[in-house]
Amino acid sequence: MALPDGFLDELRGRISLARIAERSLTWDRGKTRSNRGEYWACCPFHQEKSASFKIDDTSGRYYCFGCQAKGDAINFVMETGNMGFMEAVESLAAEAGLAMPARDPKVAQQARERAGLSQIMELAIRFYRQQIRSARAQAARAYLAGRGLDEDAIARFEIGFAPGSGNLLLEALAGRGLALNDLETAGLITRPEDGRAPYDRFRDRIMFPIRDARGQAVGFGGRAMDPNAPAKYYNSPDTPLFDKGRCLYNHKPAREAAGKAGSLIVAEGYMDVIALVEAGFAHSVAPLGTAITAEQLGLMWRMTSEPVIALDGDRAGLAAGMRLIDRALPLLQPGKSLRFALLPEKCDPDDVIRAKGAGAMQAVIGAARPLIDLLWQRETEQHSLDTPERRAAFDETLRRLIATIAHPGVRAHYAAELRARRRQHLTALQLSIAPRRSAAPFPQKRWVRPLQPSMAARRSRLANPGLDNADLARPSELAILTVCLRHPQIAAEFDDAIDRATFVNVDLDALRQAMLTALTDCLAEADPPAALLAILSQALGQIPDDLAAGDPALALNRALRADAPAQRVRDELRDRLERLLTERGLSAEAAEAAESLAADETASWRLREAAEARDKAYEAEDLSAKSATVAQESIDAYFNDLRARQIWVKKKS
């Protein structure tokens, strides 16, 4: 069977040789450098005790320094699996999700046609390179010299020139006997729809040849010399050879250099890549005048695990980076992400290198920020969080973004990281806008004897921290977890409060933390409660007995049932969380007051007032959500006033 041209390259590009080989090999941890795509193991083709078998996952090749065995993924599967060539190709294609081409004679014909088009493209490159040395290209040469490119650099990147008048390319290639239909198919000439004579597609442009991963010429990018041209850069149209969304400029050389550098730089355009390569950054590529596509991301991740996107230091560059974030989120995998290097304002890589040298550019690359940093920056700049409604909208946006991440492990880590950042951000925001009270003068009076706490204060939980133990807190904590396990959708609405509501029972607190991480995953399932319980059981090994069996003390509470109305469940969960958080805050106040009391007798004022506030807040065991909120606000206001007046400081009489 004749395989179409490019099929095997696409197959090799979709699979990882290291992942295939690790099924039958054990990596040598001392020599393996997975971050650079280098893996070492004992050779599977001959007996040895030390690892001399090396896999370069970037290039997809292996080599044994002992027996000199070498090849690619297809050779490896053939040798280790005792398969024929087509059998190995079919096995790898099935694993990569790539359909095998139909067994059709037309495939062979298409392969021959592609080979013919590739030869035409090589002739066009030769023609344009000849023109760059002609008198017509004087302005083009001056432009390139002004960008720091000498003759060697122009030759190295095969830069050419398309004359601005006449149809010189068409005439030159037609004079070689090439058919006009083939020139049109290759994207080199254009046929007007009104029946006029065909003409050269590229005119008065500096020409940059585009080669694929194998180094074959597939298209061109042309930069206009006329500043009034409709398009500054103009690419070849889609052809049997060329698809700009599936190609990268400087792909083949960058792939080889990326394996050595352990990195890949993604710039905006042709000249940026050329400037980077000339400055020593050979591991540089660029998309072809459009936003980076999912296919191009796949090509980049085949070269390195975290490509660095070098954004031009202007609004358009940053906007392009933000759009790329949304495109990349669904595709993230363990170890596969992006970093963003933010260049100085109104600067591209060429500007930085020419102004400050390669060292400055290396510093910019070294300071590249992870994808999640720019994601967080974008969302916090777009959302004001000064009202509950705006915070709710912000939370909804974060949930929507997290849900787009396909891989469950990456999605869970993003959810945890964004939750932590949100908590820190809101804490800082609240501190910055908290009202400042003027300190009221302490009442002047003689101190005759120390003030003693009231009987109610001495009997309250606030004055007896020992009563707030794990056994006492367990029913309330069980109730919160019961609601969350039976209603994950509603629990997700209160994730921030649940995150702050640390439990005193160690086993229940571990379940609370694991549940927060698992909430995002289970919501996508058909039965979220069952999915959540399965994830937690797998993560923790065992669910606490009293939670799994159901606490009899909670059985009569209808709001805890699985079929309870949603609003009733929300009210119940909100009430219990607010009560728990209030109790934790008051207990902390009690501990601080006790420390102050040990140091100064006058601090008994604080203890007594706090105890009375606590008693009033908990007179009714079944506080509604509204009354609990009012009580908490009243207590917070009272303690703020006590702190402002510094009642524990003894004043002179």
Side-chain angles (χ1 to χ4, degrees):
M1 172 184 177
L3 294 172
D5 188 28
F7 177 83
L8 294 180
D9 290 304
E10 185 174 1
L11 176 60
R12 295 184 184 102
R14 287 198 183 192
I15 57 180
S16 166
L17 175 56
R19 290 189 179 181
I20 294 170
E22 67 183 1
R23 301 168 189 165
S24 55
L25 302 179
T26 300
W27 304 129
D28 185 315
R29 295 184 178 180
K31 299 175 68 175
T32 294
R33 299 291 182 269
S34 58
N35 62 326
R36 303 184 64 173
E38 295 181 2
Y39 298 81
W40 291 82
C42 290
C43 181
F45 307 121
H46 79 285
Q47 298 295 324
E48 63 175 3
K49 296 182 179 180
S50 60
S52 63
F53 183 83
K54 178 186 176 183
I55 286 179
D56 184 349
D57 204 39
T58 301
S59 64
R61 307 286 297 181
Y62 66 82
Y63 181 78
C64 178
F65 290 84
C67 67
Q68 285 75 52
K70 60 182 179 180
D72 59 9
I74 299 173
N75 301 120
F76 186 89
V77 172
M78 289 173 61
E79 295 295 333
T80 59
N82 193 24
M83 298 181 183
F85 175 77
M86 288 305 303
E87 186 180 4
V89 169
E90 290 174 355
S91 173
L92 291 173
E95 183 172 342
L98 183 63
M100 288 290 294
R103 297 177 181 270
D104 192 333
K106 292 182 179 180
V107 173
Q109 178 62 28
Q110 291 173 355
R112 288 191 293 270
E113 291 175 355
R114 285 174 57 89
L117 292 177
S118 183
Q119 292 176 2
I120 292 174
M121 298 301 292
E122 293 292 349
L123 292 174
I125 292 175
R126 187 182 306 173
F127 172 82
Y128 289 137
R129 291 186 64 187
Q130 291 172 348
Q131 295 300 313
I132 195 69
R133 296 190 292 269
S134 69
R136 301 184 185 91
Q138 183 176 356
R141 291 196 302 273
Y143 170 81
L144 293 172
R147 296 297 297 264
L149 273 65
D150 56 20
E151 291 187 4
D152 289 339
I154 293 173
R156 189 159 40 250
F157 289 94
E158 302 177 293
I159 299 174
F161 178 71
S165 61
N167 295 313
L168 299 184
L169 175 68
L170 186 155
E171 294 171 0
L173 297 184
R176 287 176 166 265
L178 297 177
L180 295 183
N181 287 341
D182 291 339
L183 298 182
E184 183 182 13
T185 302
L188 297 175
I189 66 172
T190 298
R191 287 179 184 267
E193 295 181 357
D194 58 7
R196 287 179 298 158
Y199 57 87
D200 289 355
R201 175 178 291 273
F202 295 97
R203 291 186 175 188
D204 195 24
R205 291 178 180 269
I206 297 174
M207 301 297 289
F208 300 90
I210 301 169
R211 296 184 178 274
D212 62 14
R214 297 175 295 166
Q216 290 188 342
V218 294
F220 288 96
R223 187 198 187 281
M225 293 303 301
D226 183 358
N228 298 318
K232 182 177 179 181
Y233 280 95
Y234 187 42
N235 291 323
S236 293
D238 287 347
T239 71
L241 292 177
F242 182 66
D243 180 348
K244 63 184 177 182
R246 297 175 181 270
C247 295
L248 294 169
Y249 183 63
N250 198 47
H251 188 167
K252 186 176 185 293
R255 183 176 65 180
E256 297 170 355
K260 299 176 181 178
S263 176
L264 180 71
I265 302 172
V266 183
E268 183 174 335
Y270 306 103
M271 290 303 301
D272 293 327
V273 169
I274 293 172
L276 285 166
V277 172
E278 290 296 291
F281 302 94
H283 49 292
S284 301
V285 297
L288 304 178
T290 60
I292 296 175
T293 66
E295 290 78 10
Q296 288 171 330
L297 282 173
L299 295 175
M300 296 173 193
W301 280 326
R302 284 288 294 129
M303 290 185 265
T304 188
S305 58
E306 284 190 338
V308 176
I309 312 298
L311 301 176
D312 285 3
D314 54 21
R315 182 175 298 180
L318 190 59
M322 296 306 180
R323 291 192 297 270
L324 178 57
I325 289 174
D326 293 325
R327 190 169 295 107
L329 280 176
L331 306 174
L332 299 181
Q333 294 287 326
K336 302 292 185 184
S337 186
L338 299 173
R339 299 184 75 85
F340 292 84
L342 306 180
L343 282 79
E345 188 174 358
K346 297 182 180 179
C347 287
D348 57 25
D350 188 23
D351 295 328
V352 174
I353 293 169
R354 294 173 65 188
K356 299 182 179 180
M361 190 65 210
Q362 182 58 57
V364 172
I365 298 299
R369 298 165 57 187
L371 186 152
I372 195 170
D373 271 10
L374 258 69
L375 173 63
W376 178 254
Q377 175 182 324
R378 182 185 73 179
E379 299 307 323
T380 51
E381 288 177 351
Q382 292 179 353
H383 291 82
S384 175
L385 306 181
D386 57 347
T387 68
E389 295 83 359
R390 288 175 175 176
R391 287 193 288 273
F394 177 68
D395 293 346
E396 182 61 29
T397 299
L398 292 184
R399 291 192 191 97
R400 177 180 54 79
L401 289 170
I402 293 169
T404 64
I405 301 175
H407 191 279
V410 177
R411 185 168 65 244
H413 282 289
Y414 261 74
E417 174 69 14
L418 290 175
R419 188 182 301 115
R421 293 190 183 210
R422 177 189 180 279
R423 182 170 59 252
Q424 295 173 1
H425 186 71
L426 288 180
T427 300
L429 180 65
Q430 291 166 356
L431 289 175
S432 66
I433 64 175
R436 297 184 177 181
R437 298 176 180 270
S438 58
F442 191 83
Q444 300 295 320
K445 59 184 295 184
R446 287 179 62 90
W447 288 91
V448 179
R449 61 183 178 82
L451 296 174
Q452 300 294 327
S454 65
M455 181 64 70
R458 290 198 299 270
R459 292 179 177 177
S460 69
R461 295 181 184 179
L462 183 64
N464 294 272
L467 294 177
D468 191 15
N469 54 30
D471 291 335
L472 200 62
R474 195 170 188 86
S476 177
E477 295 173 355
L478 281 172
I480 292 173
L481 288 175
T482 299
V483 173
C484 295
L485 290 175
R486 293 177 179 174
H487 306 276
Q489 301 94 327
I490 295 176
E493 300 174 15
F494 295 86
D495 58 350
D496 184 61
I498 297 171
D499 191 25
R500 291 184 288 116
T502 306
F503 292 170
V504 296
N505 288 273
V506 177
D507 59 336
L508 298 185
D509 196 58
L511 182 61
R512 176 189 65 85
Q513 296 181 54
M515 180 188 67
L516 280 170
T517 302
L519 275 177
T520 304
D521 290 338
C522 76
L523 294 181
E525 302 297 333
D527 187 354
L532 178 58
L533 191 61
I535 294 173
L536 294 178
S537 299
Q538 183 177 6
L540 300 177
Q542 183 178 3
I543 300 297
D545 293 337
D546 49 358
L547 181 64
D551 192 322
L554 304 176
L556 298 179
N557 190 332
R558 295 183 178 180
L560 303 184
R561 295 179 181 176
D563 59 351
Q567 190 55 48
R568 187 167 186 174
V569 174
R570 287 189 182 91
D571 293 341
E572 177 73 17
L573 185 56
R574 182 185 296 108
D575 178 32
R576 289 188 177 275
L577 286 170
E578 290 180 348
R579 193 184 307 180
L580 184 145
L581 291 171
T582 300
E583 184 175 347
R584 296 289 187 267
L586 292 174
S587 297
E589 290 287 344
E592 292 180 14
E595 293 178 3
S596 298
L597 182 61
D600 193 331
E601 294 175 340
T602 62
S604 59
W605 274 95
R606 186 183 186 195
L607 180 59
R608 187 175 72 181
E609 297 295 343
E612 290 178 357
R614 169 67 177 269
D615 291 341
K616 290 179 182 179
Y618 287 97
E619 284 178 357
E621 184 64 27
D622 57 341
L623 282 174
S624 66
K626 181 178 180 181
S627 63
T629 302
V630 173
Q632 181 177 352
E633 293 175 351
S634 176
I635 293 168
D636 291 344
Y638 193 82
F639 277 133
N640 287 336
D641 183 64
L642 294 181
R643 282 193 291 268
R645 291 193 285 117
Q646 295 183 322
I647 64 170
W648 56 89
V649 178
K650 186 173 182 179
K651 304 296 192 301
K652 294 182 180 179
S653 57

